[in-house]
Amino acid sequence: MSESLIDVAAPEATHPDDQFDTRRRPGLWTALRRGKGLAGLILIGAVVALGLLGPLLAPHGPTEQIPGANLVGPSGAHWLGTDEVNRDILSRTLYGIRTDLLVVFLAVPIGAAIGILVGLVSSWWTFTDVLAQRLFDLVLAFPTLILAIGLTAFVGPGLRTVFFVIVAVELPVFGRLTRTSVRTVREMPYVEAAHVVGAGSLWQLRRHVLPNSLEPLLVQLAVSMSVAVFIEGAMSFLGLGVRPPQPSLGSLIRDGVRNMYDAPFFAVGPLAVVVALVLGLLLVSQALAEARRA
Amino acid sequence: MTDPEGTTVTTPLLEVTDLAISFSHPRPAVRSVSVTVDEGEVVALVGESGSGKSMTARAVIGLLPDGAKATGSVRLRGEELLGLPEPELIRYRGRRVAMVFQEPQTALNPVRTIGWQIGEALRAHGGVRGKAARARAVDLLREVEIPDPEERLGYYPHQLSGGQKQRVVLALALANEPELLLADEPTTALDVTVQAEILALLRRIRDRTGTSILIITHNMGVVAHLADRVVVLRQGEVVEEAATRDLFADPRHAYTRQLLAAVPRLPGPDERVHAVTDDDVPAVAADAVAALEYDDVRVHYGSRMRGRVLPAVDGVTLRLERGQVLGLVGESGSGKTTLGRLAAGLVPLAGGSVRVGGEDLVRARGQRRVDLRRRLAFVHQDPEASLDPRFSIAEAIREPLDVHAVGSRKDRDVRVTELLDAVRLPASFARRRPRELSGGQRQRVALARALTLDPELLIADEPTSALDVSVQAEVLELFADLQQRLGFACVFISHDLAVVNKVADQVAVLRAGRVVESGSAARVFGAPTHDYTRQLLAAVPVPDPTVRDATGPALREQHIAS
Amino acid sequence: MGHYLLRRLPSALVVLAIASFGIFALVRMVPGDPVSSLAGPDATPEARAAIRADLGLDQPLVTQYVHWLGRLAHGDFGTSYRIGGQVKDLVADGAVNTIVLTVTALLLAAIVALVASVLAVVLDNRWVNAALSFGNTLAIALPTFVTGLVLILLFAVVFPVLPAGGTPPDGFLARPDIAAQYLLLPAVCLALGAGAALTRFLTEALRTELRQPYVTTARALGIPRRRIVLTQALRNALPSAVTVLGIQFGTLLGGAVLVEAIFTWPGLGGLIEEAISGRDYPLVQVLLLLSVVVFVAIQLLTDVIHAWLDPRVRIGGAS
């Protein structure tokens, strides 16, 4: 960073700084075009495509019982085999993906949006800030699964409950992160500079604080989505989630465990999809986090 | 042995030849640097940021950042150090070449005691252990003039002041009696009186132990005060090399001359002879409305609930006339920044009143407050942080107009072009982002933005302290020019007395939240009446090596323990 | 130190008080009536009222709460509606199994994290880092029920060397070798995620520490890098690592519910599931309250350890 130009009559003309760091910082998105980020995106894309095209690809209906095909191993007719009530596991997996996509791409963004809003608004005044932080801390003190079990106790099992749990879990996560991020950005002199020239709270929030606080939230969104897959899986696995006969990845794995000794092939398909989805989201979050640090 | 010409040395202690350091960036950090340091000599490496002075010092001790490639040669008493593998280098580090760093706040391990850290330095080279190590640690602390050394051994770094921390860092460096001490901006982060103490200590250490010192600095005052010989660097190359006195008396290279010319100076002792009085200030009508008035202002820090209330500003009364510049000077903790922020309405007031153009800013509400805000502007110390990284330069300058919805969109853009021109930046900069600008350019943008609404009062908090001396000179000149033309009043806050002397009409010297002395700049700096002002002035290292021999050390011995 | 604990205690107690009342009140609002599930569908109104009075459900909510607290204070945790027997005994039996499992997993995770992160930082080798990062991502990406299944399939079904589930028949102390066999798979399964997260955190924390100026000071003194990692960087990273360890302990307790289900390990996880599906009020209340107490205690403990490890908090105030 050379800046020694007293020997130059017109500073702006031949300023060495003209050649200095003119490249802009590459946007966060470029991190998704290579390496980890790309691998993650491909994994997610594949699972999403399978889910969206599910009804076209599935050879059978999700609850259709095929006569004479009881716990059949993988074959040309049933690529992933059939279950104990003669249903095609591949078809059920494809439909199960749709349930999980709903949770990942709907429940998490809803929880995140509410959390961001609450975090943003509450952090502006000391009183609401303290109150909101105490509440967030209380909810965050509980491990997700205990919270899920507790909530199920009140609402009963079902997809709705999974939705509810994910929103309830993500709300304080995003609320607290927003608050931390907002607090950091708010202390930045450029926000103070806006304040000094007479900009009101709303102006500062909208023009400076929010845009500059978004990046860490984006990374968290990817992490939270992978956690959502895990929550759906765990809840359905424990019988607190999606109710039969509706398929979800978690409930399919649960059925697989029940038939583990008779049909070890059962859980392979759903397991692979779960791992691909979680891994994909995790890789994307890592790529984004690394790009932010660079 | 303080005179390098007097000794007959065949091989110098340190000999750096044709050192070049490059990273993956296209531009090398160091192009070609050759420096020698003789036995018992103090050599200064001087340069602005980007000159490669720190990299050169780090290359000597093999502590370059990852990915840096160094070529050339670094010899210590003829032994080649460059390119040695880590296990070999470790035997030199601390034992024969030691280093002191700029930031004492972070240079010590926060979770280990001072005693442990000195012990670790001794253990590193298989030195004494146990009781003997403890005795040696006490000796070392005594050597760097820390009071109660036995007790201080059990202290953690956070229990010491900044100056004491730097003394401990020095003690660590001296633990294994190195032949060469590399000091990288050792006093830059310190207050001016503490800086004077550390400089005096470095000199005494050299005199007592004969340790050679290679000091890296940007401060010509420090050079003049300490160095026997000076090497001037610019963009990774040696520009000039000379004995200190010769360099200051007769700089050969144009860059050196410009560097010296850019250093703001205080009136020298001979200039102080004809003392000026406060009456030199142009008289103002008694009923004229002041641009800014502090009336018995008090500000507290800390929470009343926890029972720890500390006064940050304690009963300050000051008055700034329209079109004048008031300089606030003082060391850290003096309350100067708080006073500035108070005038911008950024700090809650605990007592007294602050009036901007006769109106009470703190108590104003609603539209009146917004209108008052339009009349003042604030320039922050750190030009990098005071511009939103997402905003273009045009957006940043235009923001005050947008906030107050002044004129049409087109009018605002015209104003932006006008302002860019006023701060001497090309109109093409409007589309750039802050990170594409240098520090000096960013500070110009910050200045343009502050002037957008034609303020009556500008508050500038250390506006040039993050800048190189030549850039500082440009920005100060620009500032003075704009202030003359536009006639706004200004509160100019700085720890640098010479800078304040250059721009301010009035000066207030602050200490621990109180005004110690105030008056016209010429009077306060030319004929100070208060002891503290005199102390401050005496502590500033004068960029003139003849002064140190005449008055320097004797004056500074007075305030060592603090 | 003591005064730090005292300063934190009140807020912890407030949280406990609010949480305990919240749990008590919420449990009562749950749809589904224990009276009808106890008395059966065709009980007379009189029989229902008798059961209601017997359970104290005819009293106002606050009175019920105060009575409940009073009984808790006397060690009377009530009797289970559905499973039968004293809540205290049910919880105590389950708690032993759950504690053995989670503490083993926690120790496993902490040791692996410490060794792996120090190795990664000291060796600073590209291949070691890549391998660790890969293993890490995989361990975090694999949900517990997936790793549990894979472990059972591998070590109990395909190569039957370890028991697929259950607790050791003679308890944990009589035959430690057999107990270890039963404990191994569930503890590894539970520790995997936490271990990976801890390793990741500690490695990153150590790398951050190594970029601190005090490390440069130490290196300039000729102290070997390995020694700096062990005696200085690790010591600085420890306080925040303890906080993360506390959070991971909470996560482990939650994960234990799942692991217990996979490995048919009779702990609190199964008990809580059973209690909720059976609307067993006294049991649900005590279990939820227990988890709040545990989490508040963990938070308090990690805060105190954190403060104790950091002299800037412990001694405070610059001179």
Side-chain angles (χ1 to χ4, degrees):
Chain A
M1 294 205 191
S2 149
E3 259 258 43
S4 37
L5 330 157
I6 5 179
D7 47 333
V8 188
E12 50 279 277
T14 45
H15 210 288
D17 291 325
D18 276 346
Q19 75 209 17
F20 152 94
D21 199 14
T22 37
R23 73 214 141 91
R24 296 190 173 181
R25 178 176 159 211
L28 226 45
W29 300 115
T30 56
L32 300 183
R33 280 195 226 127
R34 56 189 145 77
K36 266 188 190 178
L38 185 64
L41 220 53
I42 290 174
L43 281 173
I44 299 171
V47 176
V48 169
L50 283 178
L52 291 181
L53 301 176
L56 298 175
L57 297 174
H60 300 275
T63 53
E64 180 189 338
Q65 299 188 336
I66 302 139
N70 188 282
L71 280 177
V72 177
S75 67
H78 305 287
W79 291 7
L80 295 178
T82 59
D83 67 6
E84 75 273 25
V85 285
N86 303 10
R87 292 174 300 196
D88 180 51
I89 296 177
L90 174 64
S91 306
R92 282 183 69 71
T93 306
L94 288 172
Y95 279 93
I97 292 174
R98 296 167 74 84
T99 312
D100 277 64
L101 291 185
L102 209 63
V103 164
V104 168
F105 292 105
L106 206 62
V108 174
I110 289 175
I114 302 175
I116 291 172
L117 207 67
V118 172
L120 205 60
V121 173
S122 69
S123 66
W124 212 252
W125 300 277
T126 315
F127 171 72
T128 51
D129 185 47
V130 170
L131 193 76
Q133 289 314 305
R134 284 276 151 266
L135 281 174
F136 292 162
D137 280 349
L138 196 69
V139 179
L140 285 174
F142 284 90
T144 314
L145 218 50
I146 302 259
L147 207 70
I149 291 171
L151 276 171
T152 316
F154 304 121
V155 248
L159 182 59
R160 205 172 43 120
T161 312
V162 177
F163 237 82
F164 202 61
V165 165
I166 287 171
V167 171
V169 165
E170 297 307 337
L171 196 154
V173 168
F174 280 89
R176 187 140 91 165
L177 191 64
T178 305
R179 187 253 186 182
T180 314
S181 188
V182 164
R183 287 258 148 172
T184 316
V185 175
R186 255 181 84 185
E187 297 303 314
M188 293 305 288
Y190 57 78
V191 179
E192 190 174 279
H195 176 66
V196 171
V197 298
S201 293
L202 206 62
W203 179 287
Q204 293 168 43
L205 261 178
R206 200 166 50 85
R207 301 289 303 264
H208 297 287
V209 176
L210 194 57
N212 282 297
S213 312
L214 281 178
E215 285 188 357
L217 296 172
L218 205 66
V219 177
Q220 181 59 43
L221 194 68
V223 174
S224 287
M225 285 178 167
S226 72
V227 172
V229 179
F230 173 78
I231 295 177
E232 188 285 315
M235 285 183 71
S236 298
F237 188 83
L238 290 174
L240 306 172
V242 174
R243 275 191 276 192
Q246 193 189 348
S248 80
L249 295 173
S251 65
L252 285 167
I253 292 172
R254 177 188 169 90
D255 293 345
V257 173
R258 219 183 292 135
N259 296 295
M260 192 158 56
Y261 294 95
D262 308 326
F265 56 85
F266 196 128
V268 171
L271 277 181
V273 176
V274 166
V275 171
L277 192 55
V278 174
L279 195 63
L281 287 164
L282 212 66
L283 286 174
V284 165
S285 77
Q286 283 181 3
L288 289 177
E290 278 161 23
R292 248 175 64 67
R293 245 179 281 138
Chain B
M1 78 204 249
T2 49
D3 183 5
E5 280 110 69
T7 48
T8 47
V9 193
T10 41
T11 38
L13 174 66
L14 177 74
E15 191 173 17
V16 177
T17 6
D18 296 328
L19 180 71
I21 303 170
S22 61
F23 292 89
S24 46
H25 300 302
R27 201 162 48 128
V30 174
R31 282 174 218 264
S32 166
V33 169
S34 300
V35 179
T36 59
V37 179
D38 285 327
E39 210 81 46
E41 193 185 22
V42 179
V43 176
L45 270 184
V46 186
E48 298 186 290
S49 49
S51 62
K53 54 190 193 302
S54 283
M55 282 299 152
T56 304
R58 283 172 162 256
V60 169
I61 201 166
L63 283 179
L64 287 172
D66 291 338
K69 270 205 237 22
T71 58
S73 147
V74 174
R75 283 167 191 278
L76 186 72
R77 285 192 205 285
E79 300 163 42
E80 180 64 51
L81 294 188
L82 204 66
L84 279 186
E86 184 78 7
E88 301 267 324
L89 270 173
I90 276 178
R91 292 187 304 149
Y92 287 89
R93 287 189 200 139
R95 179 73 197 84
R96 300 186 58 189
V97 186
M99 190 154 180
V100 176
F101 300 91
Q102 173 170 357
E103 190 48 81
Q105 302 300 340
T106 54
L108 295 169
N109 187 335
V111 301
R112 293 288 192 182
T113 61
I114 305 305
W116 186 92
Q117 296 189 48
I118 297 179
E120 192 70 3
L122 294 170
R123 280 190 290 276
H125 296 283
V128 286
R129 279 163 194 277
K131 271 219 177 88
R134 196 184 153 80
R136 173 84 181 113
V138 171
D139 283 348
L140 280 166
L141 289 186
R142 203 165 276 141
E143 195 172 326
V144 294
E145 295 157 12
I146 284 187
D148 302 327
E150 282 94 354
E151 197 198 330
R152 294 288 189 279
L153 285 183
Y155 274 37
Y156 288 94
H158 74 275
Q159 294 170 286
L160 302 173
S161 69
Q164 282 176 332
K165 274 182 216 155
Q166 195 63 309
R167 284 164 194 270
V168 172
V169 174
L170 211 48
L172 286 173
L174 298 174
N176 291 295
E177 295 167 337
E179 296 149 64
L180 175 65
L181 188 63
L182 307 168
D184 188 358
E185 303 268 10
T187 59
T188 306
L190 303 172
D191 271 332
V192 62
T193 50
V194 183
Q195 161 170 291
E197 292 163 17
I198 297 287
L199 288 179
L201 176 64
L202 277 172
R203 259 167 80 138
R204 276 196 296 278
I205 286 170
R206 195 270 302 261
D207 293 347
R208 238 176 0 230
T209 63
T211 310
S212 305
I213 299 176
L214 181 66
I215 184 166
I216 289 94
T217 183
H218 70 282
N219 186 328
M220 281 302 189
V222 170
V223 174
H225 189 75
L226 200 65
D228 301 317
R229 208 149 46 78
V230 188
V231 177
V232 183
L233 295 188
R234 187 196 176 193
Q235 290 174 21
E237 275 174 286
V238 175
V239 168
E240 183 166 2
E241 182 181 350
T244 307
R245 229 175 280 191
D246 299 342
L247 186 98
F248 279 86
D250 181 20
R252 294 291 163 89
H253 195 279
Y255 176 71
T256 315
R257 282 199 291 275
Q258 283 147 357
L259 204 56
L260 284 168
V263 179
R265 280 157 210 267
L266 285 164
D270 45 331
E271 296 159 82
R272 289 182 201 163
V273 177
H274 46 85
V276 250
T277 61
D278 285 334
D279 302 337
D280 288 6
V281 183
V284 269
D287 57 343
V289 178
L292 174 68
E293 277 173 289
Y294 295 105
D295 188 12
D296 194 28
V297 162
R298 281 159 211 282
V299 176
H300 296 323
Y301 274 148
S303 132
R304 206 174 289 273
M305 268 158 59
R306 295 204 182 142
R308 272 188 305 175
V309 181
L310 303 166
V313 173
D314 193 9
V316 167
T317 303
L318 281 171
R319 185 182 161 95
L320 169 63
E321 302 303 338
R322 287 174 185 272
Q324 293 261 302
V325 179
L326 170 67
L328 296 180
V329 297
E331 298 190 286
S332 48
S334 63
K336 57 185 191 301
T337 293
T338 310
L339 272 180
R341 295 173 61 80
L342 199 57
L346 293 170
V347 179
L349 193 61
S353 70
V354 180
R355 281 186 296 279
V356 174
E359 292 195 63
D360 195 322
L361 176 72
V362 180
R363 288 183 188 87
R365 288 283 170 268
Q367 192 56 42
R368 252 177 64 116
R369 194 179 167 93
V370 175
D371 290 341
L372 261 179
R373 282 220 184 281
R374 278 187 63 168
R375 288 154 60 180
L376 57 87
F378 193 85
V379 176
H380 194 270
Q381 166 173 7
D382 182 356
E384 170 147 27
S386 59
L387 297 171
D388 190 327
R390 308 176 66 92
F391 276 39
S392 72
I393 299 308
E395 285 169 324
I397 296 177
R398 211 178 54 215
E399 189 180 25
L401 297 171
D402 291 342
V403 166
H404 295 284
V406 179
S408 67
R409 172 70 200 257
K410 209 171 166 199
D411 296 341
R412 295 178 201 172
D413 286 338
V414 170
R415 179 80 178 130
V416 169
T417 317
E418 244 172 63
L419 285 161
L420 276 174
D421 188 54
V423 295
R424 300 173 203 165
L425 287 175
S428 64
F429 271 42
R431 287 188 309 276
R432 296 199 182 184
R433 306 273 151 186
R435 58 183 287 121
E436 298 169 56
L437 269 55
S438 70
Q441 290 166 343
R442 284 194 207 115
Q443 200 58 300
R444 286 160 193 262
V445 171
L447 197 56
R449 180 187 149 98
L451 299 176
T452 307
L453 291 170
D454 273 324
E456 290 162 31
L457 175 64
L458 182 76
I459 299 136
D461 185 3
E462 302 265 12
T464 60
S465 53
L467 306 177
D468 270 329
V469 62
S470 62
V471 183
Q472 165 174 288
E474 289 173 26
V475 172
L476 284 179
E477 192 217 317
L478 173 69
F479 169 82
D481 178 49
L482 288 170
Q483 198 268 335
Q484 291 262 308
R485 263 174 36 207
L486 304 174
F488 51 83
C490 176
V491 178
F492 194 102
I493 300 153
S494 181
H495 69 283
D496 189 330
L497 284 83
V499 165
V500 170
N501 181 50
K502 198 168 174 179
V503 296
D505 305 304
Q506 300 283 307
V507 174
V509 181
L510 290 155
R511 184 192 198 182
R514 292 169 183 273
V515 175
V516 165
E517 181 169 4
S518 67
S520 78
R523 206 279 298 152
V524 172
F525 290 138
T529 56
H530 197 281
D531 276 348
Y532 179 68
T533 314
R534 282 195 211 110
Q535 244 181 58
L536 269 185
L537 285 166
V540 177
V542 183
D544 179 358
T546 55
V547 174
R548 87 168 178 214
D549 303 329
T551 59
L555 236 168
R556 273 153 201 128
E557 297 293 344
Q558 295 168 359
H559 39 258
I560 278 154
S562 72
Chain C
M1 201 67 272
H3 69 265
Y4 187 78
L5 184 64
L6 279 181
R7 223 172 57 210
R8 284 303 176 94
L9 213 51
S11 74
L13 288 177
V14 169
V15 168
L16 272 185
I18 294 174
S20 64
F21 186 75
I23 288 165
F24 188 82
L26 275 175
V27 165
R28 247 121 271 257
M29 280 186 256
V30 175
D33 182 4
V35 177
S36 40
S37 67
L38 265 184
D42 29 56
T44 58
E46 290 75 29
R48 288 170 154 275
I51 293 173
R52 188 172 291 276
D54 194 36
L55 297 173
L57 295 175
D58 52 347
Q59 309 263 328
L61 194 62
V62 177
T63 319
Q64 289 186 40
Y65 173 67
V66 172
H67 282 170
W68 179 57
L69 276 191
R71 286 198 301 275
L72 284 184
H74 288 100
D76 175 11
F77 288 41
T79 39
S80 160
Y81 295 164
R82 289 289 296 270
I83 307 174
Q86 286 287 310
V87 167
K88 193 160 58 174
D89 301 333
L90 287 172
V91 171
D93 289 348
V96 170
N97 290 332
T98 299
I99 288 171
V100 168
L101 180 62
T102 44
V103 169
T104 310
L106 188 74
L107 286 178
L108 224 74
I111 292 169
V112 167
L114 200 64
V115 172
S117 60
V118 167
L119 268 184
V121 171
V122 166
L123 294 179
D124 200 23
N125 175 296
R126 253 182 65 202
W127 298 108
V128 173
N129 287 342
L132 262 171
S133 161
F134 179 75
N136 234 307
T137 307
L138 211 62
I140 295 176
L142 292 175
T144 315
F145 49 88
V146 176
T147 48
L149 275 185
V150 173
L151 284 176
I152 293 180
L153 275 175
L154 267 182
F155 295 105
V157 180
V158 182
F159 308 103
V161 288
L162 289 168
T167 41
D170 309 325
F172 294 104
L173 297 174
R175 293 285 307 272
D177 52 330
I178 292 185
Q181 287 180 18
Y182 276 88
L183 201 50
L184 191 60
L185 285 188
V188 166
C189 176
L190 186 54
L192 218 55
L198 260 176
T199 308
R200 195 175 195 83
F201 174 83
L202 203 54
T203 311
E204 204 43 58
L206 283 178
R207 293 221 171 97
T208 310
E209 286 304 325
L210 286 177
R211 281 192 294 268
Q212 296 304 306
Y214 73 82
V215 170
T216 315
T217 308
R219 292 191 64 199
L221 290 170
I223 303 171
R225 194 167 169 278
R226 183 174 308 180
R227 193 178 165 84
I228 297 173
V229 172
L230 291 174
T231 62
Q232 305 206 39
L234 197 58
R235 181 65 186 73
N236 270 282
L238 219 49
S240 46
V242 165
T243 307
V244 175
L245 197 68
I247 295 169
Q248 288 301 328
F249 191 47
T251 316
L252 281 182
L253 281 171
V257 177
L258 207 58
V259 172
E260 286 175 5
I262 298 170
F263 291 90
T264 53
W265 186 271
L268 292 178
L271 199 61
I272 204 168
E273 246 194 281
E274 210 174 328
I276 283 172
S277 54
R279 309 212 184 283
D280 198 341
Y281 281 4
L283 196 51
V284 171
Q285 270 163 201
V286 168
L287 284 172
L288 286 182
L289 186 65
L290 187 68
S291 51
V292 177
V293 170
V294 168
F295 298 126
V296 169
I298 291 173
Q299 272 199 331
L300 200 64
L301 196 69
T302 50
D303 275 1
V304 168
I305 295 179
H306 182 118
W308 180 72
L309 283 172
D310 190 339
R312 281 161 295 187
V313 184
R314 177 156 38 107
I315 297 173
S319 65

